[in-house]
Amino acid sequence: MKLVLGDGNPATVKALNPSEISTNAAVDYYRLSGVQYGTVLIGGDAFSVGSSHSATIKGWQDTGISDVKAVNRYEIVQDVWNGWKEWSVPQKVSGNSSEKDSSTWYSKSFDGIPAGSGYHIRITGLTTPDGYGASGAGNVYVN
């Protein structure tokens, strides 16, 4: 018998149930749909960062059009009383990857994040401003 973690979404189940054991725990799931150039999204669930002072995102993104690359910028921000405090160097991900093939997924690490709570993933759409949008999903992991 195998325990399968996730909310039923194939991307979530695949990300939460790798073939190898990891000490990382998924603390947030994010999904984007048709994100246009300049659109900013904030992941809904807050997460905490511990003594590792790091977080990693793993996921996929795609425009659905082979000639148009999905481009998004990902970063870790903290919810503070007057807005969002940036705690990471933004990481740009360019290219399409397949939801069904995790070997094509991106993986980006963010270091130097102070131990604490109230962190979110912020995604900024950078796909060419020709009216194309990017869709995708992923998880945030912390040690």
Side-chain angles (χ1 to χ4, degrees), residues 2 6 18 23 49-50 58 61 64 80 88 92-93 104 106-107 109 111 119 137:
K2 180 179 178 185
T23 59
V49 172
K58 295 180 183 180
Q61 61 182 28
V80 295
S88 67
K92 186 158 73 166
V93 176
T104 67
Y106 59 82
S107 177
S109 294
D111 298 316
Y119 291 103

Side-chain angles (χ1 to χ4, degrees), residues 10-21:
T12 305
V13 171
K14 188 171 235 174
L16 291 177
N17 297 281
S19 57
E20 66 278 347
I21 301 298

Side-chain angles (χ1 to χ4, degrees), residues 52-56 76 87-89 91 108-114:
S52 70
H53 303 286
S54 66
T56 299
I76 305 296
W87 280 112
S88 67
V89 173
Q91 303 261 352
K108 296 290 183 180
S109 294
F110 303 93
D111 298 316
I113 304 167

